[in-house]
Amino acid sequence: MQGAFLSAVSAPRPPLRLLLAALAWVVFGGTGCSRRETPVEAGNRAQILHQGIATEPQDLDPHMLQFQSHFNPLMAVYEGLVGYDPRDLQPTPGVAASWEISPDGLAYTFHLRADARWSNGDAVTAHDFVFSARRILSPALGSPFRYYYDDVRGAKEYSAAATPDFSTVGIHALDDRTLRIELVHPTPYFLFLLGNWSWYPVHRATVEKYGRFDQPFSDWSRPGRLVSNGPFTLADWKPGQVIIVKRNPRYWAAARVRLDEIHFHAIENADTEERAYRSGQLHLTENVPGSKLRDYAAQQPSPLVVAPIFATYAYVFNVTRPPFDDVRVRRAFSLALDRDRIVASQVASGIRPARSFVPPGAGYAYTGEAELRFDAAEAHRLLAAAGYPEGRGFPPVELATNTSQLHREIAEIVQQQWQKNLGVQVGISPKDSKVFFQERIRKQYQLARSSWFGDYPDAFAFLTVYLGDGGQNTTGYANPAYDRLALSAAQTLDAATRLARYRAAEDLLLRDAPVVPVFHETSRHLVHPAVRGRFPNPFDIHPYQGMWLESK
Amino acid sequence: MFRFIARRLLQVIPVLFVIITATFFMVRFVPGGPFTAEKAIPQEILRNLEAHYGLDQPLWRQYLNYLGRIARGDLGPSFKYANRSVNEIIGDKLPVSLELGGLALVIALLIGLPLGVLAAVRRNSWLDYLASTAGMLGICVPTFVLGPLLVLWFAIHLRWVNASGWYDATDRVLPALTLGFVYAAYLMRLTRGGMLEVLNQDYIRTARAKGASETRIVLRHALRGGLLPVVSFLGPAIAGILTGSFVIETIFQIPGLGREFVNSAFNRDYTLVLGTVILYATLIVACNLVVDVVQVWLNPKLKFE
């Protein structure tokens, strides 16, 4: 036997032929061999949606969410007082069948539907919403999203532990099916906030069975434990792979839900996700790799869905340190940017040049004197006035970004433009995300990348950032006149006055220029043609109640 | 031999202690923490979270607490997956990495060893050239090129298997092949080199002179010595291959430990970093011990001392 083993080698021809034959079989012969039905094809038959969600949520506790993309599985398993119309995100009845708003805009009364049920059969009552509010606002839980309750009377004080008495908070159950919410000031977008995950009810008995009600990380939301009230229920969770939700037969509108299952695939790498889409594993992707945008855009029909979103990509200055403590320098940097060129370098991503900080939309668009424009001559003049003619004597400046292909590309164009139009050398320092975020929060930077995604369809979602005491204001900018204008606008019910005040506030912000808006962002997804009932919108929110799959 | 193994096992304890201590403090001195995010969280919430995890205590006390904890076999709660323990995460993900690594290792051995031996025996033949070229290619073509190429053909074009995921047996094929090929290439080259060196030794000539068959010479006399470099390579390689590959797991979306190992550092998931480092260190020490034992067995010149 051992002799045969070696003698086979000494005669080279047979194995060579065998090898070639095997190779040929793999390369040519296999094509028609066993092409399976892909998960997407099987899903189209059985109404099973396969969606990529990039990173995996830590759990399905709506009060402890981390990323916007984690909203998707939460939206499938929970329902708030109001929902969103999938086309325009107008508030639609959810657990509340109807509601009244007092004429002064301060009190909301919700009438809960009688047939709203938890997945274990319990009725969803007004008390559940009171419990949930008490939980998310409790200081011990430390929810990062309790600011969604800031407009509710007494909520800020309670969550800051100023009072231990929850009855001081304006959320009361008048009876099992009537909930009254009182606000500090009129908030025109309040119903939109109510659709957010932070307002989802959690099931008290389940939460308290697995820990204290305000315990930050208890494991009540695991599969087999989680009791929820949405159109789907959590069926399975394979860590690092997939979250599977199934249609909830106890959901009050179960008859209208057309999908049977949704599989949320946690595929972190955008290239891997794109390959999964191409091989028929996904209906929907969370991301599209920048390098593939152009190819997908050229396809007919194209699965690439690009939609403007309520977000602005910007650079921020540390206004507490020279040279950017001088408003002339900041404005010079802003004027020296040719935003049309920057946007032209990223055509396939659909981004729009920024003319203001607040993206146009939500009934408001800034127009006025301070509108962002490209004016190299004026930029020169301002820089000279600040003591740096032709950029001479300008101290070395570093632009900090977190490492990513897109951030680097944009930063390099910006760097060139500043050099060409101002004569200023700006170094780019890409950093690990955590390092970058921490340095930005601690103001250990001169110039940094900063994006903002508005939480609700109102200019205040953006203008709130640069309030003097704003928690997300990393620039050190504080202008009492701006604070007054922005706050008074947000609390004005009359639409015309409100918008006029927003304009005045933004005017001031753009003149003071603690921030250099560059472009307005888009959402980019690959969407399989079989997916129906899903509409692009500025918040990238896609309720599952009306979604279904249909292949020709 | 038992004394040798016992002594080596005792040496493991101080080694692990040094590794744990160094990792514990290094990961703490990196800027940014587990709760640093794009949107800054309010100070009082940060303080609550830090108190919940005991991060508000002095570092030396946290260190002592941690040592006490691992002495009881508890690696602590994860920061990223807040309601899961590190033990649980490793328990979930290590088997996946073991399966992938095991399959890849089998593929690597089945391809690498025979090919290496044949290439050495038939030196400068077409087979040697083919094997050496394949080996060079295997080493030069990185997994992040080979993996997507295999996906392109077998998953996207032919639709035989999924492009990613770890659900059924067919999902094992592409990742195991990708990882296996790289190690096969190394094994092939090491085996060939080791065999060539041994085949020129005097004792092989003696065996030939005594009329031993070529097959007997190769399999009985040469292979034992020729495999020495392979074995010393395999020790750390097995530890690496079994604890998962970040690249392969990312390309194929495999829920293994390799990704956790790398991501935990990016996430500043202190406990998960330490947990994976401890596991990895233990595996490396264990594999090296096995290598030493096997080498003594393979090489009569070595003794247990």
Side-chain angles (χ1 to χ4, degrees):
Chain A
M1 272 317 282
Q2 286 174 348
F5 161 74
L6 281 177
S7 65
V9 184
S10 52
R13 303 205 67 83
L16 183 65
R17 234 178 280 151
L18 212 82
L19 205 76
L20 286 177
L23 210 69
W25 173 77
V26 166
V27 179
F28 305 107
T31 323
C33 165
S34 64
R35 193 179 182 284
R36 330 151 292 142
E37 184 180 40
T38 63
V40 160
E41 287 160 355
N44 289 347
R45 267 193 300 105
Q47 294 297 319
I48 299 172
L49 178 74
H50 293 274
Q51 176 169 8
I53 52 166
T55 64
E56 183 179 40
Q58 55 175 11
D59 59 21
L60 291 181
D61 182 341
H63 298 158
M64 297 304 276
L65 180 114
Q66 290 166 312
F67 294 107
Q68 172 85 19
S69 64
H70 299 168
F71 190 16
N72 290 317
L74 283 176
M75 202 159 37
V77 298
Y78 291 97
E79 181 173 56
L81 290 164
V82 300
Y84 297 114
D85 184 299
R87 286 168 203 270
D88 52 12
L89 302 186
Q90 287 302 308
T92 57
V95 175
S98 64
W99 54 85
E100 292 114 38
I101 306 171
S102 66
D104 60 1
L106 287 178
Y108 287 64
T109 310
F110 295 92
H111 304 286
L112 276 56
R113 58 182 77 248
D115 52 353
R117 289 274 175 277
W118 291 99
S119 50
N120 68 350
D122 293 357
V124 180
T125 68
H127 303 286
D128 289 319
F129 286 92
V130 176
F131 169 76
S132 302
R134 185 156 72 92
R135 179 168 185 265
I136 191 172
L137 291 174
S138 67
L141 186 75
S143 166
F145 289 96
R146 61 191 193 195
Y147 67 85
Y148 273 91
Y149 287 68
D150 277 359
D151 304 309
V152 175
R153 186 171 57 73
K156 270 189 191 168
E157 292 75 11
Y158 180 80
S159 68
T163 164
D165 179 9
F166 189 73
S167 65
T168 58
V169 179
I171 301 178
H172 299 283
L174 303 185
D175 58 52
D176 275 1
R177 287 178 43 208
T178 314
L179 185 76
R180 188 178 156 87
I181 301 179
E182 294 147 21
L183 306 186
V184 189
H185 44 73
T187 310
Y189 48 82
F190 185 64
L191 285 174
F192 188 90
L193 297 183
L194 285 182
N196 180 269
W197 59 81
S198 54
W199 278 91
Y200 284 155
V202 294
H203 189 250
R204 179 172 191 163
T206 309
V207 171
E208 291 184 336
K209 187 171 166 190
Y210 296 101
R212 262 180 13 249
F213 87 99
D214 58 355
Q215 189 173 319
F217 300 110
S218 78
D219 43 17
W220 61 274
S221 66
R222 292 189 177 197
R225 295 180 179 178
L226 179 65
V227 172
S228 60
N229 70 327
F232 297 87
T233 56
L234 178 60
D236 196 9
W237 186 330
K238 296 191 178 70
Q241 299 193 75
V242 68
I243 299 172
I244 298 174
V245 300
K246 291 198 165 136
R247 181 210 290 270
N248 176 7
R250 291 198 164 106
Y251 178 59
W252 61 271
R256 275 193 270 141
V257 177
R258 294 175 71 176
L259 291 173
D260 269 321
E261 288 181 23
I262 309 171
H263 295 210
F264 296 101
H265 300 265
I267 307 183
E268 284 173 25
N269 184 281
D271 290 301
T272 305
E273 192 189 33
E274 188 269 337
R275 285 195 295 270
Y277 175 84
R278 243 190 313 160
S279 75
Q281 279 183 277
L282 293 178
H283 287 104
L284 286 167
T285 67
E286 178 64 24
N287 296 300
V288 185
S291 58
K292 300 271 168 58
L293 283 171
R294 211 180 281 260
D295 286 342
Y296 275 111
Q299 286 181 17
Q300 283 300 336
S302 173
L304 176 66
V305 177
V306 175
I309 53 171
F310 206 46
T312 301
Y313 187 103
Y315 294 112
V316 288
F317 297 111
N318 181 352
V319 306
T320 63
R321 276 205 239 160
F324 297 119
D325 54 346
D326 187 331
V327 66
R328 290 169 298 190
V329 175
R330 301 201 296 266
R331 297 212 42 205
F333 269 65
S334 180
L335 284 165
L337 281 192
D338 185 349
R339 294 173 176 82
D340 293 332
R341 276 219 153 154
I342 298 170
V343 166
S345 74
Q346 308 282 336
V347 170
S349 63
I351 54 178
R352 303 146 291 157
R355 303 281 170 245
S356 56
F357 177 52
V358 184
Y364 165 87
Y366 176 81
T367 45
E369 284 267 298
E371 204 171 79
L372 299 170
R373 61 183 205 279
F374 171 50
D375 186 343
E378 174 69 1
H380 252 284
R381 202 189 58 73
L382 280 168
L383 199 65
Y388 312 106
E390 307 294 318
R392 276 195 300 277
F394 199 79
V397 169
E398 290 252 297
L399 168 61
T401 75
N402 42 344
T403 40
S404 115
Q405 171 87 2
L406 175 78
H407 298 331
R408 207 193 61 223
E409 283 176 22
I410 305 277
E412 280 170 0
I413 303 173
V414 166
Q415 179 186 42
Q416 267 175 19
Q417 295 191 352
W418 279 330
Q419 185 180 356
K420 187 165 149 245
N421 302 330
L422 292 176
V424 166
Q425 295 282 351
V426 175
I428 300 173
S429 69
K431 291 173 178 179
D432 163 67
S433 295
K434 293 262 184 184
V435 176
F436 171 68
F437 295 144
Q438 175 162 322
E439 291 185 352
R440 204 172 63 189
I441 290 164
R442 295 185 175 169
K443 297 193 183 61
Q444 293 161 336
Y445 73 95
Q446 295 173 294
L447 185 58
R449 184 198 70 77
S450 176
S451 296
W452 191 253
F453 194 119
D455 288 319
Y456 42 87
D458 189 88
F460 194 63
F462 278 79
L463 298 179
T464 181
V465 178
Y466 292 102
L467 294 178
D469 61 354
Q472 306 299 331
N473 180 356
T474 56
T475 60
Y477 170 73
N479 182 344
Y482 170 78
D483 292 3
R484 259 196 315 278
L485 273 170
L487 286 170
S488 78
Q491 296 163 13
T492 307
L493 265 186
D494 176 62
T497 325
R498 181 182 178 79
L499 294 185
R501 286 182 181 162
Y502 278 147
R503 278 204 186 96
E506 194 166 10
D507 214 45
L508 207 54
L509 182 71
L510 295 174
R511 278 179 212 281
D512 287 344
V515 55
V516 183
V518 184
F519 57 82
H520 300 306
E521 280 277 18
T522 54
S523 65
R524 303 179 283 271
H525 305 283
L526 296 174
V527 181
H528 192 275
V531 178
R532 306 293 162 88
R534 185 184 192 276
F535 307 92
N537 62 60
F539 290 86
D540 211 11
I541 292 175
H542 308 281
Y544 294 103
Q545 278 91 335
M547 222 183 272
W548 79 98
L549 297 167
E550 194 172 301
S551 46
K552 289 160 277 200
Chain B
M1 182 170 142
F2 286 110
R3 268 190 59 192
F4 170 79
I5 293 177
R7 209 176 58 227
R8 286 290 300 270
L9 282 179
L10 278 178
Q11 285 170 1
V12 168
I13 294 168
V15 168
L16 279 182
F17 176 76
V18 169
I19 289 174
I20 290 168
T21 308
T23 314
F24 184 92
F25 288 101
M26 277 197 296
V27 76
R28 288 315 180 86
F29 293 137
V30 180
F35 310 115
T36 313
E38 170 109 51
K39 276 194 181 181
I41 35 177
Q43 276 304 312
E44 73 275 11
I45 291 180
L46 195 62
R47 272 195 298 275
N48 273 336
L49 288 172
E50 287 180 347
H52 181 77
Y53 283 105
L55 293 179
D56 52 343
Q57 292 173 10
L59 201 54
W60 62 268
R61 184 180 289 269
Q62 293 181 42
Y63 172 66
L64 291 184
N65 287 346
Y66 186 76
L67 286 186
R69 213 175 214 170
I70 50 173
R72 295 191 301 272
D74 174 10
L75 295 168
S78 157
F79 288 86
K80 166 93 191 301
Y81 305 100
N83 57 30
R84 306 179 66 216
S85 70
V86 173
N87 293 48
E88 223 179 326
I89 293 175
I90 291 182
D92 262 351
K93 309 219 156 164
L94 183 63
V96 174
S97 290
L98 286 181
E99 190 186 339
L100 170 62
L103 286 172
L105 205 61
V106 169
I107 291 174
L109 289 171
L110 282 181
I111 298 177
L113 287 189
L115 219 55
V117 172
L118 289 180
V121 173
R122 303 282 147 203
R123 197 179 170 190
N124 294 335
S125 70
W126 66 273
L127 199 120
D128 183 22
Y129 294 138
L130 189 77
S132 300
T133 313
M136 215 51 220
L137 267 178
I139 291 171
C140 295
V141 177
T143 47
F144 60 81
V145 172
L146 182 61
L149 276 178
L150 291 178
V151 167
L152 192 67
W153 189 251
F154 293 103
I156 295 174
H157 184 75
L158 296 179
R159 301 251 159 134
W160 287 357
V161 287
N162 285 330
S164 64
W166 193 254
Y167 302 106
D168 56 40
T170 59
D171 291 331
R172 272 67 170 167
V173 177
L174 295 188
L177 280 179
T178 312
L179 191 56
F181 278 151
V182 181
Y183 283 92
Y186 279 104
L187 286 182
M188 198 288 293
R189 291 186 61 81
L190 284 169
T191 312
R192 179 178 177 271
M195 286 295 287
L196 279 181
E197 203 183 307
V198 172
L199 284 173
N200 288 330
Q201 300 271 333
D202 289 343
Y203 71 87
I204 298 294
R205 200 181 316 144
T206 312
R208 280 214 179 96
K210 283 182 159 180
S213 78
E214 201 54 27
T215 311
R216 188 180 160 82
I217 288 171
V218 170
L219 293 184
R220 176 123 191 105
H221 300 287
L223 195 59
R224 209 164 148 178
L227 283 185
L228 277 173
V230 177
V231 169
S232 32
F233 165 78
L234 271 181
I238 287 178
I241 213 170
L242 292 185
T243 42
S245 152
F246 174 70
V247 177
I248 298 280
E249 288 174 13
T250 304
I251 293 174
F252 293 101
Q253 184 57 29
I254 297 166
L257 205 57
R259 251 182 332 143
E260 297 301 334
F261 188 39
V262 175
N263 283 339
S264 63
F266 286 124
N267 292 330
R268 309 287 190 275
D269 194 337
Y270 300 142
T271 41
L272 191 53
V273 170
L274 277 159
T276 43
V277 164
I278 291 172
L279 179 79
Y280 193 49
T282 315
L283 259 173
I284 287 197
V285 171
C287 286
N288 279 336
L289 178 59
V290 173
V291 166
D292 288 347
V293 173
V294 173
Q295 274 188 331
V296 173
W297 175 67
L298 281 177
N299 188 349
K301 287 184 207 156
L302 292 176
K303 286 249 149 41
F304 285 115
E305 253 327 305

